[in-house]
Amino acid sequence: QTEARVLTSIEEHLYRLRTEPSRRWANGFSCLCFMIVGAPVAIRRRNSDLLTSFFIVFVPILVVYYPLLIFGIGAAKDGLLPPQIVWLGNLILLIWGAFELRRVMRH
């Protein structure tokens, strides 16, 4: 029973160690993803209020990106999903940014 607890503890530590590089890289690239979303929105809404444009981008990031990041980190540290799951929020932002950029390029 003691050996099983030690083994479980070691596995949990290993999951955390495997998650850390992906988490750090994903957090670093999140700034780029925020910019990829924010720039086209700012271009499209260039004549509107600055605060309104900010919140149009910030609220979805707050509601979608951060919960996905927290879920991904938790699931990866628990060993339920692979560590690359922490990139899911960035992927969604890239898709959103590509959609917004496409809309800007059409006009």
Side-chain angles (χ1 to χ4, degrees), residues 16-52:
R16 289 177 183 266
L17 289 175
R18 287 182 179 162
T19 301
E20 195 62 23
S22 292
R23 184 193 64 81
R24 288 184 184 205
W25 278 98
N27 282 344
F29 275 93
S30 66
C31 296
L32 177 65
C33 295
F34 295 160
M35 187 275 313
I36 289 172
V37 170
V41 171
I43 291 169
R44 273 196 19 229
R45 301 188 53 84
R46 66 184 172 272
N47 294 328
S48 69
D49 182 30
L50 175 71
L51 198 56
T52 303

Side-chain angles (χ1 to χ4, degrees), residues 32-105:
L32 177 65
C33 295
F34 295 160
M35 187 275 313
I36 289 172
V37 170
V41 171
I43 291 169
R44 273 196 19 229
R45 301 188 53 84
R46 66 184 172 272
N47 294 328
S48 69
D49 182 30
L50 175 71
L51 198 56
T52 303
S53 297
F54 173 76
F55 279 107
I56 285 173
V57 174
F58 180 69
V59 170
I61 287 173
L62 194 64
V63 172
V64 175
Y65 174 78
Y66 284 110
L68 282 174
L69 181 67
I70 291 169
F71 165 76
I73 290 172
K77 284 185 176 182
D78 291 341
L80 301 174
L81 295 171
Q84 293 79 14
I85 194 71
V86 298
W87 287 89
L88 182 62
N90 289 343
L91 180 64
I92 300 234
L93 288 179
L94 287 174
I95 292 169
W96 180 23
F99 176 75
E100 291 294 333
L101 187 60
R102 184 172 169 226
R103 289 176 67 184
V104 166
M105 298 300 281

